[in-house]
């Protein structure tokens, strides 16, 4: 299982990366952590003409909290994020999902930006970005910087609204209000596996909830009806029902559509219970 | 102290002696087949069918040949030309009973069937070239399920077989089946389904074939369970005289039965080396491995149990069908093995056993740790079903049915004596360790809280090697040579080919203790067909057969060495002792001679200090035990947590307790994998293989395998000398039933009857009706 | 491309390294360090785990060219058959492994773990090692070896 041939450039700066990407054309791809891309290459499921390696672009690795926003550079490694007190303080939901992302060695290389740009609906960070109304900042050589709201970013299986010549530079998350409780509830075959189905939840001190679902559709799903039900004080079962009522998940080797639909509700229930508990502290 | 006793012989047997293997294993200095790098070595890669069943209408390798770095490309037809004219299609233990070419040429019979091979200067380049081979396929209706195989309107996978039924139906009867069923108060029935899963050692298959044109000899660096078997296969396939082929195996990264045979790719690689005149390496990748290397266990058993209201299981009628996959493996042999072991340690009066084997477009059925295991799964599940129907504790039904020992041990209704089987003892020990009444209380309380705990147990016996029949016979022979070399080292030449079993340590323990030297002065030689006797590792035979051979040979060698020493020193044999690697007259340690000196002097005089005794298994004996699991099932997600897992096992005298524990725990882990995680899944319509990576074929990790408590009975010496019995397969044989019994017990409020072995979360929710709306 | 790096404290280099060559293959073939094993080549089994700039990394999920100027540690750097390090001795004492194929990945992941957390609990050990697959042992002997090494 050896990768096919490709051209390669190790960019030393963001500008260098953007130029190379633009010149590389449609089949040029960004190489970030490589934990999702390199297996695809080894399995010969992807044939990029050029890999633009951004691992040495230091300007993409910063974590900055300014007023009510936490900006995480796209090349911040999962392991760095996992250990970051700044993140734990500002956006505790990110810290909460980190242990579920693969395993330690994957997190050594994998990146926050890479995970979000890869847009696997079974991954945790896209759901977190959606739940928290994050903003994804991207840049191209030709058009400069623009920002995309998470709700407009995820477009389908492994598909986003990024243009082929754009690179994700950072993601902005709103800083959580003090007294916010967060929770992740996912059901996976084994620890560290992609979730068969899951929910992330943040319950604010004002009694409102933000809920997003993992692996129930071709992209992460914001459970807006469930959030509305939660805000009016509906029972946990009713909130869960609202979250799953309109779901039409697909099936695979591990879970059927009926399983996903049913257990998504269980995940919402359990996540809300945990998040509420955390908020009450 | 008598004249022949030696002072304070060092005891190694029974100690968890540290492994000699570990010095290289732990430092990355092992020698696995992919570590072999030879000058001028080339790399092979195989093009494989994307279809389950199809004719190959054309194949064009010309573009692949043009790739820089490619040395050779062969399709099925040209590969046949590289083999001996007399070469037969290879089966698992000899020629296959059907016709096919080594690489598929006229048709492909499963996804992954090799149709062409590229040899290039690197595996990367070889894979590039594969993509330029143009194959046209004409798809045929797939035989993707047993139902398809029985459907006569579908085409035969092997035209010369005529249908897709390989064997049977054939029915055998043992004991008084009619009587048992006539006397029964009720019949308990079940349709037991064991799913397809597979060995998955961490090291895939592979070979480096090194043909030397000058000497016209072939050296094979392999990863096989018996170098002699690989050599035998290759002499036949290549038409080369046996003394021109040498098979070497270094370290092997696990096998669990898979690597007993020599794969078609390994034969092809050898043929390619011979044709090209350079070393050629083929290392199977994980995708090829999961799809093609071999699979096991897909068996369905329809059972009727004749039962009294008091819980006696009088008789069984079993109808078994096995899906042997495409290409002949060991599937057709399964019937006899399962039939003979079906009664287990129970006093059954009658057994009727019907067997059928079918071929399908799936990977070949290979030996997987305890190939006959479905007999234990089936029987132990039936016991629990009987218990449930009668409102009895499964433990009580087992107690009631396990054959008595004592002066008149029972006999399996299929003929074998149960002498030395300690199923009853292991069952009672489990009962002692578990405190069933207090568990039932805790279970009831937990149910009030919506928590679903369950307990399950299962008991088994295993012919490792099994007791010698009254009147002798039946255990086979294990060859071994042992020699005191001029360097003073006792070399043990064994046919065993360790792949995790620690034979280099355990056989040295036995030899060192019996001969009377420190472990460092014994070296176990494995994996060279020029040096070791013919044989293989498998069937959990090594503890008894090779352990016994080590003991008798060490004893014989010691006698020979003492006689030679007596000659050299002009002393009486009874006055000699071996201490710390030196031999001399008792009480005169200063005049003791190093064993190396004795050996060198003997060699100079033309005396070889070598013995070569085959061991016939002595009295043999059963291995076996009882396992128990306590689980919790999350009925909202279907996830199963194993709270406690206890093993009581009996493999006689433990050579190395840590090694035994490792074998048991590894086997149980595979059982956990089978029940909760592993499935070699095929699409039932197209025959497309669905579990080709480790993201779909799931192996248990540290978070799925709990601590496993082990207890060893070490009972019932049958033989004055050799009471080591095999333990390699038992853990895997009985753990699936143990877990399924526990899960069914946990789900009893839902009145679920579990008839299958694979219980992932989806299946559990389906079974309890949670997905019905 | 040129690749210059440090492996087990020694400066190593190679020329004409194809960008597509994985770090695992580079270590094994170009540098002759066959201690690191390939169990799956798609980043799941962990047998290929090495330490790159202090972090445990799956070498099958890194390109050799990405390791330019990096400090790599592999199993060959822990100790030799006649001079094993304390972790290796503990693993030997505990009969941690059987066939040995998964061993290099485990040893490097454990080494990385203990450098970050010298006294992990059993749960922490299980969590960290859940990304390394062993088919022989059922893991208990491996965990015992780690706990022995940390004096637990």
């Amino acid at each position: 299982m050896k990768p096919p041939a490709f051209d390669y450039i190790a960019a030393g700066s963001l500008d260098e990366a953007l130029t190379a990407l633009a010149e590389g054309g449609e089949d040029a791809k960004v190489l970030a952590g490589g934990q999702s891309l390199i297996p695809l290459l080894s399995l010969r499921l992807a044939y990029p003409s050029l890999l633009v390696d951004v691992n040495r672009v230091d300007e993409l690795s910063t974590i900055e909290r300014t007023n009510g926003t936490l900006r995480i550079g796209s090349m911040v490694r999962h392991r760095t994020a996992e250990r970051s007190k700044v993140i734990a303080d500002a956006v505790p939901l990110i810290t909460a999902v980190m242990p579920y992302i693969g395993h330690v060695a994957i997190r050594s290389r994998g990146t926050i930006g890479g995970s979000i740009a890869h847009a696997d609906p079974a991954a945790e960070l896209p759901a977190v970005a959606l739940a928290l109304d994050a903003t994804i900042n991207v840049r191209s050589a030709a058009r400069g910087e623009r920002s995309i709201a998470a709700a407009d970013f995820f477009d389908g299986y492994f598909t986003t609204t990024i243009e082929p010549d754009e690179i994700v530079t950072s993601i902005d998350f709103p800083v959580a209000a003090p007294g916010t409780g967060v929770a992740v509830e996912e059901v996976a075959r084994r620890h560290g596996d992609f979730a068969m189905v899951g929910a992330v939840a943040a319950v604010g001190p004002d009694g409102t909830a933000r809920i997003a679902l993992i692996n129930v559709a071709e992209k992460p799903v914001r459970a807006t009806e469930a959030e509305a039900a939660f805000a009016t004080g509906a029972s946990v079962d009713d909130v869960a029902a609202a979250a799953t009522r309109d779901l039409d998940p697909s099936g695979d080797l591990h879970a059927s559509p009926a399983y996903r639909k049913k257990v998504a509700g269980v995940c919402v229930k359990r996540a809300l219970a945990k998040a509420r508990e955390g908020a009450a502290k | 102290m008598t004249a022949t006793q030696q002072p304070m012989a060092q005891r190694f047997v029974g100690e968890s002696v540290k492994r000699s293997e570990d010095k290289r294993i732990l430092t990355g200095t092992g020698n696995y087949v992919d570590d072999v790098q030879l000058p001028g070595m080339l790399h092979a890669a195989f093009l494989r069918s994307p279809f389950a069943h199809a004719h190959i209408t054309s194949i064009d390798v010309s573009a692949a040949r043009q790739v820089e770095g490619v040395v050779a490309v062969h399709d099925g037809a040209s590969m046949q030309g590289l083999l001996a004219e007399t070469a037969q299609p290879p089966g698992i233990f000899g020629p296959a009973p059907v016709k096919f070419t080594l690489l598929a040429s006229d048709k492909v019979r499963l996804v992954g069937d090799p149709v062409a091979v590229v040899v290039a200067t690197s595996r990367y380049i070889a894979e590039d070239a594969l993509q330029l081979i143009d194959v046209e396929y004409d798809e045929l209706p797939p035989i993707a399920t047993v139902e398809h195989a029985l459907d006569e309107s579908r085409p035969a996978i092997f035209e010369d077989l005529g249908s897709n039924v390989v064997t049977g139906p054939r029915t055998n009867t043992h004991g008084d089946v009619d009587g048992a069923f006539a006397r029964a108060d009720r019949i308990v029935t079940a349709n037991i389904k064991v799913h397809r899963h597979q060995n998955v050692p961490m090291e895939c298959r592979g070979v480096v074939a090194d043909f030397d044109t000058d000497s016209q000899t072939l050296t094979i660096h392999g990863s096989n369970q018996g170098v002699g078997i690989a050599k035998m296969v290759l002499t036949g396939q290549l038409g080369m005289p046996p003394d021109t082929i040498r098979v070497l195996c270094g370290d092997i990264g696990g096998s669990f039965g898979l690597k007993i045979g020599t794969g078609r790719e390994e034969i092809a690689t050898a043929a390619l080396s011979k044709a090209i005149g350079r070393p050629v390496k083929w290392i199977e990748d994980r995708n090829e491995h999961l799809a093609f290397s071999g699979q096991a266990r897909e068996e369905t058993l329809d059972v009727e149990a004749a039962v009294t209201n008091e819980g006696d299981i009088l008789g069984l009628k079993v109808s078994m069908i096995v899906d042997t996959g495409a290409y002949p493996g060991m599937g057709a042999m399964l019937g006899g093995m399962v039939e003979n072991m079906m009664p287990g340690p129970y006093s059954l009066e009658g057994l009727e056993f019907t067997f059928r084997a079918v071929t399908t477009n799936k990977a070949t059925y290979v030996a997987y740790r305890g190939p006959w295991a479905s007999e234990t799964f089936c029987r132990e599940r039936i016991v629990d079903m009987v218990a449930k129907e009668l409102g009895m504790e499964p433990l009580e039904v087992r107690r009631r049915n396990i054959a008595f020992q004592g002066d008149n041990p029972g006999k399996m209704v299929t003929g074998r004596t149960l002498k030395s089987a300690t199923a009853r003892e292991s069952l009672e020990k489990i009962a002692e360790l578990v405190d069933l009444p207090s568990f039932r209380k805790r279970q009831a309380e937990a149910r009030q809280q919506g928590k679903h705990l369950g307990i399950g147990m299962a008991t088994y016996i295993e012919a490792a090697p099994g007791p010698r029949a009254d009147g002798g016979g039946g255990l086979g022979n294990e060859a071994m040579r042992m020699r005191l070399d001029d360097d003073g080292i006792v070399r043990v030449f064994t046919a065993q080919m360790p792949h995790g079993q620690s034979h280099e340590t355990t056989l040295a323990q036995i030899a060192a203790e019996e001969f009377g030297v420190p472990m460092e002065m014994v070296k176990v030689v494995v994996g060279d067909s020029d040096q070791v006797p013919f044989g293989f590792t498998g069937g959990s035979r090594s503890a008894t057969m090779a352990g016994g051979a080590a003991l008798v040979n060490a004893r014989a060698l010691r006698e020979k060495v003492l006689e030679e020493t007596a000659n050299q020193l002009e002393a009486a044999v009874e006055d000699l002792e071996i201490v710390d690697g030196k031999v001399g007259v008792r009480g005169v340690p200063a005049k003791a001679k190093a064993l190396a000196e004795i050996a060198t002097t003997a060699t100079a005089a033309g005396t070889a200090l070598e013995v070569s005794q085959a061991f016939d298994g002595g009295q043999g004996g059963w291995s076996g035990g009882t396992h128990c699991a306590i689980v919790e099932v999350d009925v909202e997600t279907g996830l199963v947590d194993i709270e406690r897992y206890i093993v009581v096992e009996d493999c006689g005298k433990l050579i190395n307790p840590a090694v035994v524990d490792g074998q048991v725990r590894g086997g149980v882990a595979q059982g956990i994998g089978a029940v909760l995680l592993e499935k070699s899944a095929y699409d039932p319509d197209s025959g497309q293989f669905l579990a080709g990576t480790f993201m779909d074929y799931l192996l248990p990790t540290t978070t799925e395998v709990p601590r496993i408590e082990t207890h060893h009975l070490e009972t019932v010496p049958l033989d004055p000398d050799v009471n080591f019995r095999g333990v390699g397969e038992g853990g895997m044989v009985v753990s699936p039933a143990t877990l399924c019994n526990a899960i069914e017990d946990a789900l009893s409020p839902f009145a679920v009857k579990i008839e299958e072995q694979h219980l992932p979360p989806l299946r559990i929710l389906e079974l309890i009706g949670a997905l019905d709306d | 491309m040129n690749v210059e790096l440090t492996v087990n404290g020694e400066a190593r280099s190679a020329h004409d390294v194809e960008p597509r060559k994985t770090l695992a293959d580079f270590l094994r073939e170009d540098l002759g360090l066959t201690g690191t094993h390939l169990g799956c080549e798609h980043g799941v089994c962990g047998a290929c785990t090495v330490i790159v700039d202090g972090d445990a990394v799956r070498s099958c999920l890194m390109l050799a060219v990405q390791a330019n100027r990096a400090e790599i540690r592999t199993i060959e750097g822990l100790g030799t058959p006649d001079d094993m390090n304390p972790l290796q001795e503990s693993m030997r004492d505990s009969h941690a492994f059987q066939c040995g194929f998964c061993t290099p990945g485990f040893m490097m992941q454990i080494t990385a773990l203990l450098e970050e957390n010298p006294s992990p609990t059993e749960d922490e050990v299980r969590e960290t090692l859940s990304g390394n697959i062993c088919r022989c042992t059922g893991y208990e002997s491996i965990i015992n070896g780690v706990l022995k090494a940390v004096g637990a």
Side-chain angles (χ1 to χ4, degrees):
Chain A
M1 261 162 41
K2 309 299 183 188
F6 46 80
D7 289 330
Y8 170 90
I9 179 166
S13 71
L14 183 56
D15 282 335
E16 194 186 338
L18 291 170
T19 308
L21 192 62
E23 289 174 356
E26 282 271 315
D27 293 330
K29 279 202 71 77
V30 172
L31 173 61
Q35 305 301 282
S36 300
L37 179 58
I38 295 181
L40 291 179
L41 297 175
S42 295
L43 289 162
R44 298 211 174 201
L45 295 173
Y47 293 85
S49 55
L50 166 72
L51 287 192
V52 179
D53 185 338
V54 294
N55 282 277
R56 301 200 194 275
V57 179
D58 295 332
E59 64 198 276
L60 297 176
S61 301
T62 56
I63 303 172
E64 255 172 62
R65 175 174 171 164
T66 331
N67 300 325
T69 302
L70 181 74
R71 173 164 291 183
I72 303 182
S74 57
M75 284 305 292
V76 169
R77 307 277 179 196
H78 293 317
R79 283 288 270 162
T80 307
E82 196 176 351
R83 297 164 174 139
S84 163
K85 294 209 170 28
V86 175
I87 294 180
D89 202 56
V91 191
L93 186 57
I94 293 178
T95 311
V97 300
M98 297 314 300
Y100 290 89
I101 300 180
H103 300 281
V104 168
I106 299 281
R107 299 200 291 274
S108 292
R109 295 290 296 171
T111 62
I112 303 289
S115 176
I116 285 176
H118 190 57
D120 186 340
E124 293 80 5
L125 285 172
V128 170
L130 191 62
L132 301 183
D133 287 314
T135 307
I136 294 95
N137 303 311
V138 306
R139 193 182 303 180
S140 66
R143 300 174 304 286
E145 182 114 353
R146 70 180 178 114
S147 296
I148 313 172
D152 301 324
F153 183 79
F154 301 104
D155 209 24
Y157 282 113
F158 307 102
T159 315
T160 68
T161 53
I162 308 176
E163 297 295 333
D165 65 344
E166 286 175 331
I167 296 180
V168 176
T169 54
S170 60
I171 305 99
D172 292 335
F173 293 89
V175 171
T180 298
V182 299
V184 187
E185 189 72 30
E186 63 173 62
V187 180
R189 297 293 300 275
R190 300 170 303 184
H191 176 73
D193 284 342
F194 281 108
M196 286 189 284
V197 66
V200 298
V203 171
D206 59 354
T208 60
R210 290 166 168 276
I211 309 166
L213 303 176
I214 298 170
N215 214 358
V216 296
E218 56 180 24
K219 47 186 184 167
V221 170
R222 183 81 182 264
T224 40
E225 282 182 36
E227 292 176 1
F230 183 87
T232 68
S235 74
V236 196
D237 286 331
D238 285 344
V239 174
T244 58
R245 188 167 10 250
D246 295 326
L247 292 181
D248 185 24
S250 60
D252 59 26
L253 196 57
H254 304 296
S256 65
Y259 182 93
R260 289 204 154 90
K261 193 160 173 159
K262 179 91 184 207
V263 182
V266 173
C267 291
V268 169
K269 250 183 10 188
R270 293 181 182 185
L272 284 175
K274 263 201 253 173
R276 238 193 199 135
E277 214 181 305
K281 287 203 177 100
Chain B
M1 195 200 292
T2 71
T4 50
Q5 208 174 22
Q6 41 166 359
M8 281 307 290
Q10 221 183 329
R11 301 245 71 99
F12 300 115
V13 174
E15 300 296 317
S16 293
V17 172
K18 291 195 264 203
R19 301 195 324 158
S20 18
E21 294 88 332
D22 280 340
K23 289 195 163 190
R24 61 183 191 273
I25 297 296
L26 289 166
T27 57
T29 53
N31 192 32
Y32 298 86
V33 66
D34 194 17
D35 301 341
V36 174
Q37 288 172 348
L38 301 175
M41 189 173 76
L42 299 167
H43 299 258
F46 290 88
L47 183 67
R48 296 179 182 273
S49 168
F51 298 111
H53 198 196
H55 281 126
I56 298 174
T57 53
S58 72
I59 177 165
D60 182 359
V61 304
S62 52
R65 289 208 171 108
Q66 305 306 314
V67 174
E68 191 183 325
V70 168
V71 169
V73 183
H74 286 274
D75 62 18
S78 63
M79 173 58 67
Q80 278 312 107
L82 302 186
L83 304 175
E85 264 180 50
T86 49
Q88 299 289 316
I92 205 164
F93 293 127
V98 286
K99 298 254 169 303
F100 54 91
T101 49
L102 191 67
L103 300 187
S105 52
D106 55 336
K107 73 188 296 199
V108 293
R109 296 179 175 91
L110 73 156
V111 171
D113 207 351
V115 303
V117 61
V118 170
V119 182
T121 50
S122 82
R123 176 67 182 238
Y124 286 72
I125 292 173
E127 289 190 16
D128 292 341
L130 288 183
Q131 295 186 297
L132 298 176
I133 298 176
D134 204 353
V135 189
E136 301 268 319
Y137 294 97
D138 188 16
E139 282 183 77
L140 292 166
I143 316 300
T145 62
V146 169
E147 288 65 44
H148 291 171
L150 296 172
D151 174 0
E152 290 180 7
S153 74
R154 293 208 179 218
I157 295 176
F158 291 95
E159 281 95 4
D160 53 343
L161 192 59
S163 82
N164 292 315
V165 176
V166 172
T167 301
R170 64 150 202 267
T171 304
N172 291 332
T173 318
H174 305 270
D176 182 9
V177 177
D178 291 337
F181 275 75
R183 283 175 42 221
D185 292 321
R186 59 179 78 206
I187 312 292
V188 173
T189 64
N191 172 247
I192 305 278
K193 293 171 281 289
V194 184
H195 61 295
R196 207 169 192 80
H197 50 289
Q198 55 195 105
N199 316 51
V200 198
M202 290 319 294
E203 181 200 38
C204 298
R205 298 176 301 152
V207 67
V208 176
D210 181 13
F211 185 82
D212 178 63
T213 327
D214 292 333
S215 60
Q216 292 286 299
T217 60
L218 175 67
T219 304
I220 295 288
H221 303 264
S223 181
N224 305 92
Q225 287 178 226
V227 290
I229 297 178
K231 173 170 164 164
M232 189 174 71
V233 170
L234 291 170
T235 55
Q237 292 292 321
L238 302 179
M240 290 174 67
D243 62 334
T244 62
I245 299 186
R246 183 180 186 188
V247 178
L248 302 169
C249 287
D251 292 302
I252 298 176
S255 176
F256 313 106
L258 174 66
K259 298 170 182 174
I260 277 184
T262 304
R264 288 157 63 196
E265 301 96 327
E266 293 163 77
I267 297 167
T269 304
L272 288 164
S273 178
K274 182 162 179 275
I276 297 170
R278 284 170 69 172
V280 180
K281 170 184 273 189
W282 172 67
I283 302 297
E284 180 181 52
D285 69 38
R286 190 54 73 180
N287 184 231
E288 298 178 279
H289 178 87
L290 290 168
F292 189 79
S293 67
Q295 294 160 357
R297 295 280 196 277
E298 187 168 359
E299 291 133 42
T300 301
L301 299 97
D302 276 309
V303 188
E304 291 175 53
V307 170
T308 68
N309 287 334
E310 291 74 43
D312 307 293
I313 302 176
L314 303 176
L316 294 176
K317 289 183 185 171
V318 180
S319 180
M320 173 179 176
I321 187 161
V322 59
D323 181 336
T324 72
Y327 297 105
M330 83 174 293
M333 293 176 214
L334 217 49
M337 300 168 81
V338 172
E339 177 180 333
N340 286 326
M341 289 301 299
M342 182 63 69
Y346 297 112
S347 51
L348 218 55
E349 292 171 18
L351 171 67
E352 180 189 277
F353 193 92
T354 301
F355 177 67
R356 265 183 308 182
V358 300
T359 177
T360 61
N361 297 129
K362 299 177 191 168
T364 301
Y365 192 108
V366 296
Y368 175 32
R369 202 170 202 170
W372 63 87
S374 292
E375 52 81 20
T376 291
F377 183 73
C378 176
R379 184 190 61 249
E380 295 302 301
R381 288 293 300 125
I382 288 289
V383 166
D384 270 40
M385 290 176 187
V386 167
K388 209 162 170 188
E389 182 150 328
L390 298 176
M392 288 172 69
E393 276 285 1
L395 172 64
E396 290 312 314
V397 175
R398 288 186 169 86
R399 277 177 168 145
R400 204 169 164 97
N401 286 281
I402 287 187
F404 277 104
Q405 288 303 310
D407 294 331
N408 211 357
K411 223 171 137 161
M412 295 166 79
V413 73
T414 45
R416 210 151 182 186
T417 173
L418 284 169
K419 180 164 59 166
S420 80
T422 54
R424 181 173 292 280
E425 287 81 348
S426 67
L427 184 66
E428 292 307 329
K429 179 81 181 165
I430 281 281
E432 200 186 303
L433 291 166
V434 150
D435 191 356
L436 198 49
S438 85
F439 173 80
R440 290 294 180 208
K441 232 177 106 213
R442 182 162 74 101
Q443 181 183 45
E445 283 161 12
R447 277 188 186 137
Q448 304 289 329
Q449 312 291 322
K451 266 173 68 115
H452 294 82
L453 303 177
I455 190 167
M457 51 185 75
T459 197
Y460 76 107
I461 55 172
E462 181 192 355
R468 186 172 292 285
D470 295 324
L475 298 180
N477 268 333
E478 177 77 9
M480 185 176 281
R481 280 195 290 277
M482 208 175 281
R483 192 174 69 209
L484 176 64
D485 274 326
D486 287 3
D487 56 2
I489 301 293
V490 174
R491 282 189 175 74
V492 181
F493 298 88
T494 173
Q496 294 303 308
M497 190 62 237
H499 41 284
Q501 293 89 339
S502 313
H503 295 149
E504 286 173 43
T505 304
T506 55
L507 295 182
Q509 285 174 250
I510 296 169
E513 181 170 309
E514 194 63 26
F515 187 86
V517 289
M519 291 266 308
E520 300 72 58
M521 292 184 67
V522 177
K523 179 152 170 38
V524 178
V525 177
V526 302
D528 181 349
S529 64
D530 277 1
Q531 294 195 70
V532 304
F534 185 89
F536 65 98
T537 292
S540 296
R541 59 183 283 112
S542 75
T544 310
M545 305 307 289
L551 193 143
V552 305
N553 278 283
R555 187 173 290 165
L557 184 64
R558 181 188 161 82
E559 258 180 58
K560 196 162 202 174
V561 169
L562 289 180
E563 264 174 42
E564 171 64 20
T565 307
N567 278 344
Q568 289 186 21
L569 301 186
E570 290 177 339
V573 168
E574 318 80 77
D575 294 337
L576 296 174
E577 64 177 13
I578 303 179
V579 179
D580 287 344
K582 292 186 161 174
V583 56
V585 174
R586 194 171 300 107
V588 194
K591 292 246 180 84
K593 299 240 184 240
L595 283 166
E597 211 187 308
I598 302 291
T600 318
T601 308
T603 304
T607 306
L609 295 173
E610 179 168 329
V611 296
S612 169
Q613 299 205 355
F615 180 63
D616 67 0
Q619 288 305 305
W622 290 106
S623 286
T626 303
H627 290 204
C628 179
I630 293 175
V631 303
E632 180 178 345
V633 182
D634 181 337
V635 297
E636 289 191 308
T637 62
L639 288 171
V640 175
D641 180 61
I642 304 169
E643 181 189 288
R644 190 178 177 200
Y645 198 102
I646 316 164
V647 169
V648 174
E649 71 79 39
D650 189 358
C651 62
K653 175 124 194 68
L654 309 192
I655 305 168
N656 186 317
V659 168
V660 172
D661 281 341
Q663 290 294 313
V664 169
R665 292 187 174 121
V668 172
Q670 287 178 316
I672 293 171
V675 174
L676 300 181
L677 295 168
E678 298 176 42
K679 184 168 179 180
S680 311
Y682 284 87
D683 182 285
D685 296 314
S686 66
Q688 193 54 235
F689 185 58
L690 303 175
T693 72
F694 276 165
M695 285 164 304
D696 292 312
Y697 195 93
L698 305 176
L699 296 177
T701 74
T702 51
T703 50
E704 287 76 49
V705 184
R707 281 194 174 270
I708 294 162
E709 300 164 40
T710 60
H711 302 265
H712 306 288
L713 298 184
E714 289 198 87
T715 65
V716 199
L718 280 190
D719 189 280
D721 266 334
V722 178
N723 280 291
F724 325 115
R725 299 196 289 280
V727 76
E729 290 166 288
M732 209 286 165
V733 168
V734 72
S735 48
T738 307
L739 290 164
C740 290
N741 284 348
I743 292 170
E744 190 179 67
D745 185 61
L747 297 178
S748 28
F750 299 90
V752 169
K753 181 178 177 184
I754 295 181
E755 292 181 297
E756 56 217 272
Q757 193 182 105
H758 191 54
L759 299 171
L762 167 61
R763 192 62 192 133
I764 288 188
L765 290 198
E766 283 175 349
L767 284 169
I768 65 176
L771 302 180
D772 284 348
D773 42 51
Chain C
M1 296 181 69
N2 289 347
V3 176
E4 284 169 19
L5 68 179
T6 312
V7 184
N8 299 326
E10 218 185 297
R12 304 293 299 261
S13 65
H15 313 293
D16 295 327
V17 181
E18 271 195 284
R20 62 169 167 168
K21 187 158 227 184
T22 64
L23 176 60
D25 282 337
F26 177 76
L27 290 168
R28 290 179 53 77
E29 290 172 9
D30 296 61
L31 301 188
L33 294 167
T34 56
T36 301
H37 295 160
L38 294 176
C40 75
E41 294 186 287
H42 53 280
V44 179
C45 79
C48 68
T49 305
V50 298
I51 296 178
V52 178
D53 294 332
D55 284 326
V57 160
R58 286 149 158 43
S59 62
C60 75
L61 294 190
M62 237 180 113
L63 304 175
V65 294
Q66 292 187 293
N68 202 27
R69 301 198 303 270
E71 272 189 40
I72 314 268
R73 280 184 287 155
T74 70
I75 187 167
E76 288 94 339
L78 297 186
T80 62
D82 293 318
D83 186 19
M84 298 201 293
N85 76 5
L87 174 65
Q88 289 166 310
E89 292 289 0
S90 295
M91 301 309 265
R92 185 169 185 228
D93 289 347
S94 304
H95 282 253
F97 299 106
Q98 293 177 29
C99 83
F101 202 75
C102 71
T103 302
F106 269 96
M107 293 303 285
M108 299 322 290
Q109 181 65 77
I110 294 165
T111 299
L113 166 66
L114 297 184
E115 284 173 2
E116 190 188 323
N117 181 357
S119 310
T121 62
E122 177 163 339
D123 278 347
E124 285 170 330
V125 174
R126 282 185 184 271
E127 155 93 35
T128 303
L129 296 182
S130 63
N132 288 73
I133 301 181
C134 169
R135 194 53 165 165
C136 293
T137 66
Y139 305 105
E140 190 163 334
S141 53
I142 299 174
I143 292 164
N144 287 342
V146 179
L147 295 177
K148 183 174 215 273
V150 305

